[in-house]
Amino acid sequence: MRAPRLPGWTWWIAATLVVAALAAAVAATVAGRYARAAVAAQTATDAQLRAAFLDSEVARFRLLPLALSADRDVLATLDGRPGARAVLDRKLGALARTTGAAVIYLVGPAGRAVAASNFAGPQSFVGRDYRFRRYYRVARARGEASQFALGTVSGRPGLYLARRTDGGGVVVVKLEFDRIERAWRRAGGTTYVRDAAGMVVVASRPDWRFATTRPLSPATVARLRTDASLRPGALRPLPAPARNEVERSIAAAQDGWTLTLRGDAARATAAAARGWGIGAALAVIAVAALAWGLRQRALLTRRRTAQLEEAVAARTADLTREIEERTASEARAATLREGLRQANRLATLGQITASVAHETAQPVAAIRTYADNGLALLDRGDHATVRANLDAIRRLADRIGTVTAELRGFSRRRAGELRAVPLDEVIDGALLILKEQLRGLTLDRPAPDPARTVLCGRVRLEQVVVNLLQNAIEALRDTADPRIAITVARDGAMVAVVIADNGPGIAADIAPRLFTPFATSRQDGLGLGLAIAHDIMVDMGGALRLADGGAGATFVLTVRAA
């Protein structure tokens, strides 16, 4: 007896399901590969950013041993002068707190620590013998050395930066990486740094520290255990990357160090594969359903086949033409959008470049003046005034670093932090920068009032005051009796700072557009200073305006009282 024949639609459904499953599998595989490649590219970019973060942290501490190697308190302590060690202990303690160093200490020619930043603590390094440390021996022989090791007193790992002093001692700064490791953990992925021997020294997973990324010889293992004071269980093999992990490495600035970042591609791969797989399957089913419908329609309307074919051909031509037109339109739109993005990038780059040059020119000029005066004062033996000049140079250098950080934040469109700042400190900082340019001028300023505080970003408000004073100085260049007056008044919740000069004033054709970019009456001016100053004040919830009437120019900046 012959088996009953299945209807044609049954075979159609079965074939559709098989093809849909195959299409879903192929689409999932391809999408997974693309997703993994995207994760790998992002991991490489993140690895470069984290290596730059690490390099900047190490570079910040490299100059500290160099600066202390010729310090007079260091030399006095090595010479055994009475009271010198107590002075140096306090200085090292203050430096450690200011810079964030774990500990700073001085090892004498005999190999024992004679002063340390932790002199008052229960784990003081003073009196301890460091002749066994490789960084001490190398620094004594070559002048400087660095070594990553486990602290014998604190038990905490860190990078030791050592430098030989003029008196035969060795200054040592220990840098710990807890802050960097916490930042890496928050950023995601697994980050670790290995040294030239293949030993992990810094890691977002603390249990990976002092693991090895490759097999080591017994001699190397013995040397590392002795040099780094490692505990039992260290130098175990590092776990290999999981199947769904991608790994990218980049060389760090520290000699022989390499940073590696492992990113998890499982979630992105699974999501892409699932989405593309379902989409491909649905597309196949939709096509199959459409084909079945067309087939049934063709069977029922055989006599209209020719007409339908002509209609389909005409519609296909129209769709093709429409697609071509739409594709051309989208290409033109994409070209236009890219041009706009490029123009925006160029405009932002120019604005930030001009701002950097504008806001750092005065501190750099002041630093040059203080340095020239310092040379003359050294020849006269006036060391107290030289020290004051060097302190002013240090504060001006700090200001340049803060200004560039502020401008980076401005380029990323992020509002700066506002806090209560004494207004007298802002005015003092501006006058320090312009000290030499103010010579020969009569300057009236308000009497100091410690209770007069405003809510602002200190460096940004100081930028505005410097800009206004600099403009006044330029305007008074040919005035017989140049005068500048600074007055302060409280008006409700706001504080008004008025800066007035007795110069020629602002031209009538410039005044209406004074706070717009490139509006200037000076041949050598860019016309960006007042525009930037106005934006800064608005960003801090204040205002900057030109007062009407009177001789000279009078600018009024208002800022919220704290």
Side-chain angles (χ1 to χ4, degrees), residues 215-228:
L216 304 179
S217 66
T220 302
V221 171
R223 177 179 61 81
L224 290 176
R225 289 188 183 278
T226 301
D227 283 353

Side-chain angles (χ1 to χ4, degrees), residues 264-288:
D264 186 6
R267 181 177 301 175
T269 302
R274 183 168 55 253
W276 282 88
I278 293 174
L282 292 176
V284 169
I285 293 173
V287 170

Side-chain angles (χ1 to χ4, degrees), residues 1 63 83 150 191 195 202-203 294 313 316 318 350 361 371 399 406 413 416 430 439 452 500:
M1 184 176 181
L63 293 178
L150 196 67
T191 310
D195 62 10
V202 185
L294 291 175
T316 301
D318 291 341
R399 185 183 188 280
E406 289 284 342
R413 306 304 301 169
R439 294 186 185 275
R452 188 164 49 207

